[in-house]
Amino acid sequence: MKRRSFLKGLTGAAMASQPSARLLASAASQTGTAKLQGFSYGAVRLLPGPLNDQFEHNHRLFLNLSEDSLLQPYRQKAGLPAPGEPMGGWYSFADYDPPKNNAGFVPGHSFGQYLSGLARAYAQTGDLATKAKVDRLVNGFAIAISPNFYKDYNLPAYTFEKAMCGLVDAHEFAGCRTALPALEKTLNAALPALPEKALSRKEMAQRGPHPNESFNWDESYTLPENFYLAYKRGAGAKYRALAQRFLQDDTYFNPLAADQNVLPGEHAYSHVNALSSAVQAYLTDGSEKHLRAAKNGFRYVQQQSFATGGWGPGETFQKPGSDGLAKSLEKNHSSFETPCGAYGHFKITRYLLAVTGDPAYGDSMERVLYNTILGARLLKPDGTSFYYADYSRDAVKVDYGLKWPCCSGTFPQLTADYGISSYLRDAAGVYVNLYVPSRLTWRQGSAKVEMEQQTQYPNDGEIALHMKLSTPQRFALSLRIPAWATGANRLLVNGRDAGVALQAGTWARVQREWRDKDRVELSFALPLALEPLPEHPSLIALRVGPRVLFAIQPGDAAITAENLLKATPQNAKSWKVATATGEVEMRPFDAITTERYRLYQQV
């Protein structure tokens, strides 16, 4: 078919694939409920600050990336002309022969994530060049995708899941009319290569022999989240059925729902990512079992997390009581798969925060934000990426050895999500979850409301919220008071005490008639605290407010807990700890560049 005719057909198929009103009404009657709702991407704008710096860097990088290079692996497998420079690393076809040669690991794997990041960036900025690029990428991909791409491919579910995410996001957030027909074509190409149900790595290994071990690593158990989202965004009822088909109930969700910890030994990021599928099963199908599984599974993750909030050394969950976390500090430099892990962590905490309203999930999100991803090295235009955070006893920040790994795909998605992670709402008003420079715009009753947040948090504990209202309006403003915030905190409205208790680990709720130019000031003390490694109380991390401090090496072998609790700030990014033999400098993760550092101190 000629390209124009093909794209016209895609548009027609998009209209035909919309589910009926009766089907949607039936589905809605079975859905789970959430206490809080999110805002749209366009409702929140990040203002100058470190989060916006990361977002703009990633947006600009992928906006300028060659479309021919991005589409090249798909065009090659379809037998089409494939111009452009190969991207290399994981992304391009090569003589993949592990462990001798790991280039060409998963060709084309992150295309959907790059597309998703661009679609979310467009929804946030309204940049027309970004929308045009999304449209071109979707149309080019629709022409190039074929069953031949997934034939003899090592990770078909892994790559299809990312393509599905990108296409449903292009449809939802960039208004791309051809995205759902392209998704249908992609599903038809990938479905023959997918298993009959979600398979664990052990089950895949039992189906061998395989050409190499990577054929055991596919992640069919992460598919349901985006199958559910495709269904809810209009792709058709069969996507809901496919979501249910790939729920990993037998070996994962059923045990988790029964409060059995089956995480040890499993691949860390993908199994946290799968918890988001369980929440979607609750939200779409009303399955209380899957909500229990998600809540229990995340609790197990937290029980074996480092002080930074990171988890999964060597990409593997440890067995409780095995001292696995402590042993990983001796030699393992792959402590936390940072952009991927942070992306998965943000998703599950945002889901659970919305469903339950529990601010503890916001606390967990905040910890990962300030102690992991904000300290990640920036992605480079040639695909050089930061992958692992290193918490070993002789740690250093380094980039990953191969270009365009998985973390290059989740990083732009995560930074595009910073805004929607910062605020939620219910019928009564607005919840401030993250304290970041930003502007939120929404309608509350008859009023158009704009709330601008100004802060240097967590460099200091001062947050100011400035209100603009078209007309006075009564609503509730709820502010997350972190569980660590046990010091002398203060909340003022227009310079006067708000008369609201600021209890750590709760929402501080101010309900009043708000007027134009009202000002809210929230002030946190930033106390020092010690956090021992789980199951190893002599290994201690020092925390100030939400941030963990890392000792810049060589450190001091004679450091004590009392020394740590007397750390004194030199500036917003440096503390000094005096010991019997000298001073140790300590910094937050985002203030470390090439220095060697240590997270846990032996006291």
Side-chain angles (χ1 to χ4, degrees), residues 359-371:
Y361 294 113
D363 289 357
S364 184
M365 182 190 293
E366 173 184 78
R367 181 176 292 237
V368 165
L369 172 63
Y370 292 118
N371 298 305

Side-chain angles (χ1 to χ4, degrees), residues 259-306:
D259 213 2
Q260 299 173 26
N261 186 357
V262 291
L263 287 174
E266 298 291 0
H267 181 253
Y269 163 62
S270 63
H271 283 80
V272 169
N273 200 23
L275 297 178
S276 291
S277 288
V279 181
Q280 273 297 336
Y282 167 72
L283 292 172
T284 310
D285 295 332
S287 173
E288 295 283 350
K289 176 186 77 173
H290 288 96
L291 178 59
R292 286 197 310 274
K295 292 164 70 174
N296 290 340
F298 187 70
R299 175 165 50 85
Y300 295 139
V301 171
Q302 290 185 297
Q303 287 172 355
Q304 61 163 272
S305 293
F306 295 102

Side-chain angles (χ1 to χ4, degrees), residues 239-257:
Y239 287 86
R240 183 184 188 184
L242 285 165
Q244 294 164 345
R245 167 180 157 184
F246 284 100
L247 287 168
Q248 193 181 14
D249 287 337
D250 48 358
T251 61
Y252 195 46
F253 294 138
N254 287 343
L256 286 179

Side-chain angles (χ1 to χ4, degrees), residues 489-531:
N489 308 313
R490 184 179 63 175
L491 180 61
L492 306 177
V493 177
N494 297 329
R496 297 182 178 181
D497 190 283
V500 175
L502 303 185
Q503 182 180 347
T506 67
W507 299 102
R509 184 180 178 91
V510 182
Q511 185 153 0
R512 67 193 301 274
E513 183 178 76
W514 297 95
R515 295 176 176 272
D516 191 40
K517 298 183 181 180
D518 278 348
R519 176 183 172 90
V520 178
E521 296 169 273
L522 177 61
S523 179
F524 290 120
L526 300 175
L528 291 165
L530 302 181
E531 292 205 8

Side-chain angles (χ1 to χ4, degrees), residues 293-377:
K295 292 164 70 174
N296 290 340
F298 187 70
R299 175 165 50 85
Y300 295 139
V301 171
Q302 290 185 297
Q303 287 172 355
Q304 61 163 272
S305 293
F306 295 102
T308 61
W311 30 262
E315 301 191 21
T316 306
F317 283 118
Q318 307 300 300
K319 183 178 180 181
S322 67
D323 215 18
L325 290 183
K327 291 178 181 176
S328 77
L329 302 179
E330 297 172 4
K331 297 179 181 179
N332 194 328
H333 297 279
S334 306
S335 304
F336 178 50
E337 193 178 357
T338 300
C340 285
Y343 175 64
H345 199 103
F346 263 62
K347 274 202 307 175
I348 188 60
T349 51
R350 191 167 60 242
Y351 274 136
L352 291 175
L353 175 59
V355 169
T356 67
D358 186 346
Y361 294 113
D363 289 357
S364 184
M365 182 190 293
E366 173 184 78
R367 181 176 292 237
V368 165
L369 172 63
Y370 292 118
N371 298 305
T372 72
I373 192 61
L374 273 189
R377 292 157 68 102

Side-chain angles (χ1 to χ4, degrees), residues 557-575:
I559 201 166
T560 68
E562 185 179 8
N563 296 153
L564 292 171
L565 287 173
K566 292 181 179 179
T568 56
Q570 307 302 296
N571 54 56
K573 298 290 188 180
S574 177
W575 278 252

